[in-house]
């Protein structure tokens, strides 16, 4: 009897499958695998081989899934069903933190559940690719979702090669399958009488040894390879991907988006069955008094209206904008963000779309390949850089210690620095400035234009720009625009709040060195620019003329009134103020902020501009700046988007290839390109 | 809003908007020279025309629609309807499905009775305006009531997805049946609920009811081996005995001019009463032994029959019965082979009666050749009880005429509440616009 | 108000600088200058607008009377910009009350005379109307932005 | 900022709960918050809740929860009066937010309806229509559903006590189906399902009980009912049968209403029981 080794595949007779399950159970692993339930092959707990879908397959088509019996004993003759492994690695609801607030004092504690050992049985090639994709997003970027990382590390991957692709499958086009090549511990190929088994990791090798298999004979090995090859043959290459990202970006204004929106229900099914979609929201579960609340991370989708909501508005009200965001993200901007495609070609979004929208057909309609490409079969852009290595799942530490592009500076669940209100100043009827004392070195190391996430238990954490840095603290100017900001505005001296940050990319102060500076802002938008003014004045000689143009609704709605007067009195700073309407006691200007440009000369080609305000105000300002010759790489704007996490993990704030929270909120117009001011992005 | 108009030789008692009943109703009693000249239970409930709403719909759609007649007893409406359709279609449901239907009904009885006993009725006996005040006196009691109610709601929710307007009842069975484990999960709550229900019986037995007795004609279902619920023959305390499909052979409805009400009566125009007191009176021998023992222990069987205020004891005993039976069903549950029996709609007459928490609920449908509803008639218990309630008000009146007016009015209101009138149920029949009094 | 003939100034204004040389000379005849103290009322809403004005120096406020709120300034006009366009456009009634916010010098063109010149001289008319149109378009665009009330807070939810 | 209602034991807002044409089920849901009921009620001054308390008030209120649709002339006047008495009006349930199942009569000949139920229709006074509260007065917030979901109700009341915005997402039922691991009944062929166009809040109940959603929470934002209706019609379902799917407890809510109209109306017509 020839025993298997790491190099030699073994043969596991069908009857031996329970032995594998027993071994896994003995290791304390829960086994999740395919089983028939609710009219589909779903992933659920597997106790015995008899739980597997022996003799079942399913016919899949856009918007349709029907189980069918095959009359064989084969247990893995189905293509992927409605569930994906992210139910296990990235569950729909996970408690993040428990916040408590008693007598104005807050505390936050980690609420992550444990991640017990588990084994995934029956993972397909496309599904391994999906796991690796989510690894890149959630565990290998500059921010790490600790719950995901722990669950992923606790999972043993037992792949079963896919030899029965569905009509909706297109992994061959996306370069993710059907062959299982990486990212597994054990890989099995099903034959009529059993499985050819090979190991893909040290943990897999140990397991294989303990199975004490005979070596698979060459006939079986060949049959196994042929079966997978035949599956590839059957699928062909339905989605020519060469140049697809660029074509999609170029198709941003295609009329096809509106046509899709005629059919699309914006029901979000595609995003939730997608094994790589990672967008989440945070739900607050609180007691009746708000004394204690659990923040839960919850699956969300870019197809919901609430997803892109900000105070007083929404960035993607139209369904066509939401569909464009999803498709463009999957197939184009995901490359910019993570160096890979966001689609693995599993076809779930096609089968489980309630009205059968087929992403393959829509891609071809929105971004048709050039005729030459259509003819050249087999030109497939490498969909997945080979540098994305598999994660040896059994070695849990590997996931976190593997080389990652940047040090992990942020994590979910968040940790908040408890910070006390040292001073409270009312600015306007609905706006206050709070000064916080802190010795937290991170908070104190912030730069102009950065923001913090301010958290009170029972309220969603709110992104608030820092309006001044002190040696021993910082200031936040907060407008009561919603419940959370209202609660923050109600804080009194001595109360505490959880602060996290500073986050994001601030104003590039150095860019203004040797240039004229024009700062254009309106309303609450002055707050994030105040630290910039502080920084410029602190090092005044580095810059030429500095002009601050400020618009407000009325004289009483202006922030920092006294400070503005002091600034206006300085000889080295020109301050222009204008309001939308005023009473007879106002002797300043009335009109729009762009009107202030007429006050004096602007040496556009030599100027750097910093702009912050409502988006409509910024677009009008940018028009004037460009008209005066300020180049796009010297116009900096700050964007407001819906933010839940602040570290690029929740997905809400995406704008094209950027996460506004992480890559912004400050961008130069040159960086944003045509995305600036465009409807629905 | 207690109105009072005392004129020479005439006493008027008006309660515009009786509280702690389901739906909006009012009562009026006018006594002149010691003689009751008007006794009316009136309802300000806007008609919703359910009998019309179901026309053109399929039987399964009807199950969803008629549930909406009443938020307190939606299961009752689903039960009468589903049995009627299955009777017409000769659908033989599996015994365990039949048992699950009983369990579902038990859940509704528990929820409805606990609601009425603790939150609506008990405050009357203890001088409170509501359960919050009652909780100030006796928080443990209110919490016991809420726990009982929750146990009932949980049964309905496990079987039907939610406590109000559950979604799983289908002609031929259920859209989905619970697993053994899902039902077992109810056990801890039900064990506690049995203690609570027994405590309820003892608690209400300590109440002091107004001194009032009358002879009543009672009507309920009666089954040879079960306490009346889904099945059985329609019987009365004076010898009536009908199949559950044949209600119309002995009862009629008529519209009275002062009301939207279609009042039901038997041929002899003598009022009759449905509900817990009727069931206890006509079927006490079928009570679960635990409930039977509780009834015997408090010794109020006679009082339940004679004094409408003691209906609270009848409900308490039925709480014990429903919890005890639910426990038995949970313990003996074997999931059915199939959740739903195949069934084809056909033309014909479908009718059935079941025991809603408030008493006999009769449904009658005519189906066209496509199996769609051509016409419907739904006779809820409160509409049938209305005449009896008005008659009892008349009998009760002499005993309160010497009381201060507001005390007397309050007593009348209490009397109405003791029947647990479900005015929302009575949608299609009740909406009395009180004639303008001078 | 102090008035005087300041013929040299029209050429130096934004409005005047755009006029053809010959026409400029003709208009010059109808121009005069005026100075106002801070707070002085230059024009009242509803009154006949006699002159087209160009702010030479200072700032004027255009105000509307809103019965519930009193006088509200909806726009200020700065040096180089025009006021009193209703002197050219019928029915020649002022659409707002014009107040000098700070000491202000205006160049005034007699409306009736200007209209006569415009009717008689298409070349002048083309130049003047174009300038007026641009000024009004600018003002309309600004007014739209103000109308958006961008800096206000939307509070349509009761929480 | 001012304007926020905040319910605490120290400052208890005056709460009124009342009903129009309805089944009482949504009010009952309040009493169904068994575990929280007593703790909640001490945070409010429950001045009007006829279903459960003998105290009555006609106002003023700080918060009013309204169940039921407007279906009589008196109700149409009463809701206007109540609106004047409260700064915060919350409608609860499908009747109040969409007109309820009884709104099917809005398509019908009302007199025929009355005659079908009553021998003496002249005794019965009711409007020809059953309409949502928002057709009559401004509504500040709504809880959807037939009946409302106890979890959402608790969330609303908790938000009022904590002083935050209630988390009542306006998204499809599908998200909740997927989160709870329910397989799509529409795609597996287990019946037509309105989930994709229906407002979430029930916890995706019906699909979890192996049947399609019947839309009792009403249309969600951007509900593309025409697209779903076309899909239903794709496999030979008649227009009338597609219309009946939308002709449920929120049939009168605009996107569903227009689909029903475009397909020839609901199954109930005034003149007969025929549906096409």
């Amino acid at each position: 009897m020839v025993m298997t080794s790491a190099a030699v595949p073994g043969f596991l007779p069908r009857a031996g499958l329970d032995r594998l399950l027993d071994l896994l159970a003995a290791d304390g692993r829960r086994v999740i695998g395919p089983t028939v339930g609710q009219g589909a092959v779903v992933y659920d707990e597997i106790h015995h081989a008899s739980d597997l879908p022996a003799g079942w397959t399913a016919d899949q088509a856009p918007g349709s899934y029907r189980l069918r019996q095959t009359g064989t004993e084969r247990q893995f003759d189905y293509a992927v069903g409605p569930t994906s492994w992210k139910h296990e690695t990235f569950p729909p609801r996970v408690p993040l933190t428990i916040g408590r607030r008693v007598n104005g004092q807050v505390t936050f504690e980690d609420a992550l559940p444990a991640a017990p050992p588990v084994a995934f049985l029956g993972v397909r090639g496309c599904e391994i690719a999906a796991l690796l994709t989510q690894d890149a997003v959630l565990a290998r970027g500059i921010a790490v979702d600790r719950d995901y990382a722990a669950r992923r590390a606790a999972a043993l991957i037992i792949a079963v090669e896919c030899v029965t692709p569905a009509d909706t499958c297109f992994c061959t086009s996306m370069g993710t399958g059907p062959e299982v090549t990486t990212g597994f511990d054990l890989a099995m190929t099903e034959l009529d009488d059993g499985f050819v088994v090979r190991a893909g990791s040290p943990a897999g090798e140990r397991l294989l040894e303990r199975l004490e298999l005979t070596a698979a004979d060459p006939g079986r090995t060949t049959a196994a390879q042929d079966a997978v090859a035949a599956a590839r043959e059957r699928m062909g290459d339905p989605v020519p991907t060469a140049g697809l990202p660029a074509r999609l970006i170029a198709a941003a204004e295609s009329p096809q988006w509106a046509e899709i929106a005629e059919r699309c229900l914006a029901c979000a099914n595609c995003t939730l069955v997608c094994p790589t979609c990672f967008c989440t929201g945070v739900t607050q579960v609180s007691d009746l008094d708000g004394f204690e609340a659990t923040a839960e991370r919850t699956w969300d989708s870019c197809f919901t209206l609430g997803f892109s909501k900000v105070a007083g508005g929404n960035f993607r009200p139209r369904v066509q904008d939401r569909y464009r965001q999803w498709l463009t993200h999957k197939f184009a901007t995901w490359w910019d963000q993570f160096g890979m495609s966001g689609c693995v070609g599993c076809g779930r979004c096609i089968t489980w779309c309630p009205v059968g929208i087929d992403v393959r057909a829509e891609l071809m309609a929105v971004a048709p390949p050039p005729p030459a490409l259509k003819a050249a079969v087999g030109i497939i852009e490498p969909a997945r850089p080979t540098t994305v290595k598999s994660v040896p799942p059994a070695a849990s530490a590997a996931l976190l210690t593997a080389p990652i592009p940047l040090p992990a500076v942020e994590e979910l669940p968040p940790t908040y620095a408890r910070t006390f209100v040292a001073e409270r100043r009312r600015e306007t009827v609905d706006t206050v400035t709070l000064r916080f004392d802190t010795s937290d070195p991170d908070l104190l190391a912030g730069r102009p234009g950065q923001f913090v996430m301010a958290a009170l238990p029972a309220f969603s954490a709110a992104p608030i720009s820092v309006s001044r840095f002190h040696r021993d603290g910082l200031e936040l100017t907060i407008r009561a625009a919603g419940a959370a900001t209202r609660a923050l505005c109600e804080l009194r001296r001595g109360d505490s709040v959880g602060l996290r940050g500073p986050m994001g990319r601030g104003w590039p102060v150095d860019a203004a060195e040797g240039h004229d500076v024009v700062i254009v802002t309106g309303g609450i938008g002055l707050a994030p620019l105040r630290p910039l003014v502080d920084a410029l004045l602190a090092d005044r000689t580095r810059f030429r003329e500095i002009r601050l143009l400020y618009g407000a609704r009325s004289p009483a709605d202006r922030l920092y009134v006294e400070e503005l007067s002091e600034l206006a009195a300085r000889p080295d700073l020109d301050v222009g103020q204008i309001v939308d309407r005023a009473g007879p006691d106002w002797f300043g200007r009335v009109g729009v902020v762009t009107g202030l440009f007429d006050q004096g000369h602007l040496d556009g080609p030599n100027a750097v501009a910093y702009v912050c305000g409502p988006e409509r105000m910024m677009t009008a300002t940018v028009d004037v700046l460009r008209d005066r010759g300020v180049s796009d790489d010297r116009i900096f704007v700050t964007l407001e988007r819906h933010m839940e996490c602040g570290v690029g993990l929740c997905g809400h704030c995406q704008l094209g290839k950027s996460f506004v929270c992480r890559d912004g909120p400050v961008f130069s117009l040159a960086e944003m390109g045509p995305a600036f001011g465009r409807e629905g992005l | 809003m207690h109105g009072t108009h005392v004129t020479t030789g005439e006493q008027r008692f008006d309660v515009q908007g009786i509280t702690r009943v389901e739906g909006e109703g009012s009562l009026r009693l006018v006594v002149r020279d010691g003689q009751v000249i008007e006794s009316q239970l009136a309802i300000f409930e806007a008609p919703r025309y359910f009998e019309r709403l179901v026309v053109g719909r399929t039987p399964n759609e009807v199950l969803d629609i008629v549930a909406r007649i009443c938020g307190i007893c939606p299961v009752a409406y689903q039960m009468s309807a589903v049995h009627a359709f299955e009777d017409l279609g000769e659908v033989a449901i599996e015994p365990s499905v039949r048992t699950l239907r009983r369990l579902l009904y038990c859940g509704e009885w528990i929820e409805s009775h606990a609601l009425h006993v603790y939150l609506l009725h008990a405050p009357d006996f203890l001088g409170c305006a509501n359960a919050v005040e009652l909780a100030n006196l006796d928080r443990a009691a209110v919490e016991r009531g809420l726990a009982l109610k929750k146990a009932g709601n949980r049964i309905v929710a496990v079987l039907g997805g939610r406590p109000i307007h559950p979604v799983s009842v289908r002609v031929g069975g259920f859209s989905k049946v619970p697993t053994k484990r899902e039902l077992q999960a109810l056990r801890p709550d039900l064990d506690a609920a049995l203690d609570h229900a027994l405590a309820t019986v003892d608690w209400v037995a300590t109440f002091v009811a107004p001194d009032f007795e009358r002879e009543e004609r009672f009507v309920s279902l009666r089954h040879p081996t079960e306490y009346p619920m889904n099945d059985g023959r329609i019987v009365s305390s004076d010898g009536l005995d009908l199949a559950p499909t044949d209600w119309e052979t002995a009862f009629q409805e008529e519209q009275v001019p002062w009301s939207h009400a279609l009042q039901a009566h038997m041929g002899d125009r003598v009022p009759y009463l449905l509900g817990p007191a009727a069931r206890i009176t006509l079927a006490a021998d079928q009570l679960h032994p635990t409930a039977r023992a509780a009834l015997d222990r408090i010794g109020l069987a006679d009082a339940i029959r004679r004094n409408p205020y003691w209906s609270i004891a009848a409900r308490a005993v039925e709480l014990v019965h429903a919890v005890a039976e639910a426990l038995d069903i949970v313990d003996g549950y074997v999931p059915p082979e199939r959740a739903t029996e195949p069934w084809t709609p056909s033309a014909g007459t479908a009718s059935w009666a079941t025991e809603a928490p408030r008493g006999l609920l009769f449904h009658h449908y005519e189906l066209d050749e496509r199996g769609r509803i051509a016409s419907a008639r739904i006779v809820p218990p409160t509409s049938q009880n209305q005449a009896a309630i008005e008659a009892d008000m008349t009998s009760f009146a002499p005993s309160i005429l010497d009381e201060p007016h507001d005390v007397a009015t309050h007593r009348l209101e209490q009397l109405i509440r003791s029947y647990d009138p479900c005015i929302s149920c009575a949608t299609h029949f009740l909406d009395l616009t009180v004639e303008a009094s001078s | 108000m102090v008035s005087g003939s300041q013929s040299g100034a029209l050429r130096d204004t934004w409005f005047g600088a755009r006029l053809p040389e010959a026409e400029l000379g003709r208009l010059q005849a109808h121009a005069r200058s005026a100075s106002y103290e801070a707070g002085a009322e230059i024009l009242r809403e509803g009154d006949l607008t006699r002159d087209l004005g160009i702010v030479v120096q200072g700032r004027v406020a255009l105000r509307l009377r809103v019965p519930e709120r009193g006088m509200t300034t909806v726009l200020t006009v700065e040096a180089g910009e025009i006021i009193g366009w209703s002197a050219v456009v019928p029915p020649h009634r002022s659409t707002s009350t014009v107040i000098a916010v700070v000491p202000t010098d205006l160049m005034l063109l007699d409306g009736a005379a200007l209209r006569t010149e415009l009717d008689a001289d298409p070349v002048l008319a083309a130049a003047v109307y174009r300038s007026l149109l641009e000024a009004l378009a600018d003002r309309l665009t600004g007014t739209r932005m103000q109308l958006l009330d961008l800096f206000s807070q939307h509070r349509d939810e009761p929480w | 900022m001012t304007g926020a209602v905040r319910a605490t034991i120290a400052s208890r807002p005056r709460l009124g709960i009342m009903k129009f044409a309805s089944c009482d089920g949504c009010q009952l849901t309040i009493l169904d918050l068994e575990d929280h009921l007593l703790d909640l009620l001490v945070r409010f001054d429950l001045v009007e809740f006829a279903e459960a308390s003998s105290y009555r008030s006609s106002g003023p209120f700080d918060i009013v929860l309204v169940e039921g649709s407007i279906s009589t002339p008196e109700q149409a006047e009463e809701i206007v009066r109540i609106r004047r008495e409260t700064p915060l009006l919350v409608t609860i349930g499908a009747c109040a937010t969409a007109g309820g199942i009884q709104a099917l009569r809005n398509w019908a000949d009302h007199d025929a309806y009355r005659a079908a139920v009553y021998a003496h229709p002249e005794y019965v006074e009711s409007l020809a229509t059953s309409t949502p509260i928002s057709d009559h007065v401004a509504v500040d917030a709504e809880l959807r559903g037939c009946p409302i979901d106890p979890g959402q109700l608790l969330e609303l009341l908790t938000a009022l006590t904590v002083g935050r915005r209630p988390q009542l997402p306006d998204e499809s039922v599908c998200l909740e189906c997927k989160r709870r691991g329910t397989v799509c009944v529409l795609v597996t062929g287990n019946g037509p399902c309105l989930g994709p166009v229906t407002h979430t809040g029930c916890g995706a109940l019906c699909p979890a009980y192996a049947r399609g959603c019947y839309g009792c929470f009403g249309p969600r934002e951007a509900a593309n009912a025409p697209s779903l209706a076309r899909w239903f019609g794709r496999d030979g379902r008649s227009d009338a049968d597609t219309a009946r799917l939308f002709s449920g407890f929120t049939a009168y809510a605009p996107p569903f209403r227009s689909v029903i109209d475009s397909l020839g109306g609901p199954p109930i017509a005034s003149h007969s029981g025929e549906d096409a």
Side-chain angles (χ1 to χ4, degrees), chain A residues 147-168:
Chain A
D147 182 68
Y148 175 85
R151 287 174 190 273
R152 186 72 173 88
L156 189 81
I157 306 296
I158 302 175
V160 175
E161 300 272 7
C162 176
V163 298
T164 51
D167 290 345
T168 46

Side-chain angles (χ1 to χ4, degrees), chain C residues 16-28:
Chain C
R18 300 168 56 126
L19 295 179
E21 190 60 35
E23 279 72 15
L24 182 66
R26 275 221 312 289
L27 277 192
Q28 192 72 65

Side-chain angles (χ1 to χ4, degrees), chain D residues 66-88:
Chain D
V66 177
E67 173 188 299
S69 68
I70 300 301
S71 65
T72 68
E74 294 78 23
Q75 291 174 338
E77 285 174 24
E78 178 67 0
I79 189 60
V80 172
R81 190 192 69 74
I82 289 169
R83 175 71 266 194
R84 282 200 298 267
E85 295 291 329
T86 183
L88 185 60

Side-chain angles (χ1 to χ4, degrees), chain B residues 20 23 45 49 52-53 57 61 64 68 71 129-130 133 149-150 153 158 167 175 255 372 424 428, chain D residues 19 23-25 31-32 34-35 50 53-55 114 118 120 126 146 209 211 214 244 247 268 270 275:
Chain B
R20 282 184 279 130
E45 187 72 27
Y49 307 109
R52 193 65 188 161
L53 293 175
R57 313 301 293 230
E61 288 176 320
D64 294 329
R68 269 66 181 186
N130 55 43
E133 287 186 9
K149 188 162 143 346
K150 185 180 171 189
N153 276 335
V158 164
V167 303
S175 62
Q255 193 174 2
R372 306 273 167 83
S424 305
H428 73 299
Chain D
K19 65 161 275 172
C23 77
D24 283 41
L31 301 177
D32 278 357
E34 289 105 356
D35 292 344
S53 173
S54 286
Y55 296 122
R114 274 199 295 204
Y118 299 99
H120 299 282
S126 75
C146 182
Y209 279 76
R211 55 176 298 197
Y214 53 79
R244 75 169 52 244
S247 302
I268 303 163
S270 60
D275 61 331

Side-chain angles (χ1 to χ4, degrees), chain A residues 418-423 434-446 466 468-475 499:
Chain A
R418 188 153 74 123
T419 315
F420 296 88
V421 177
E423 190 192 335
L434 301 175
R435 189 165 69 79
F436 292 92
D437 280 346
T438 181
S439 54
D440 184 274
D442 289 339
L443 285 174
L444 292 174
V466 177
R468 176 155 286 164
F469 290 97
H470 294 280
R471 191 163 312 200
D472 54 356
L474 47 79
E475 289 183 22
L499 295 186

Side-chain angles (χ1 to χ4, degrees), chain A residues 197-273:
Chain A
V197 188
R198 65 189 202 275
S201 72
E205 284 165 19
R206 285 193 296 278
L207 191 57
L208 192 55
E209 279 165 27
R210 288 160 69 202
L211 275 170
E212 297 181 346
L213 303 181
T214 55
D217 58 71
R220 284 199 170 100
T221 314
T222 308
Q225 284 162 356
D226 290 351
V228 181
R232 166 175 287 280
E233 197 63 32
R234 250 201 320 284
M235 273 182 278
D237 178 18
V239 183
T241 54
L244 183 59
R247 292 205 307 276
L248 263 178
I249 296 294
E253 298 299 329
S254 164
Q256 190 67 19
W257 300 117
E259 192 282 323
I260 297 169
E262 289 283 303
R263 288 171 282 138
C264 175
L265 306 177
C267 62
N269 274 303
C270 48
T271 55
L272 299 194
V273 294

Side-chain angles (χ1 to χ4, degrees), chain A residues 38 65-66 87 92-93 261-267 269 284 288-290 299 322 351 354-355 458-459 483, chain D residues 1 43 158 161-165 167 172 174 176 178-179 181-183 187-189 196 220-221 224 227 230-231:
Chain A
Q38 304 181 65
Y65 182 103
R66 296 289 184 280
H87 276 268
R93 277 193 189 82
E262 289 283 303
R263 288 171 282 138
C264 175
L265 306 177
C267 62
N269 274 303
Q284 300 287 335
L288 286 178
D289 295 298
W299 280 3
R322 304 181 209 173
T351 300
V355 290
F459 295 92
Chain D
M1 273 309 281
R43 286 165 170 79
T158 303
T161 63
V162 174
R164 62 169 167 78
R165 178 185 297 126
Q167 301 165 110
S172 73
C174 302
E176 211 44 38
K178 292 293 176 285
R179 290 183 191 124
T182 302
V183 176
V187 171
T188 53
R220 50 170 270 252
E221 97 24 73
N224 193 349
S227 172
R230 283 195 299 274
W231 187 258

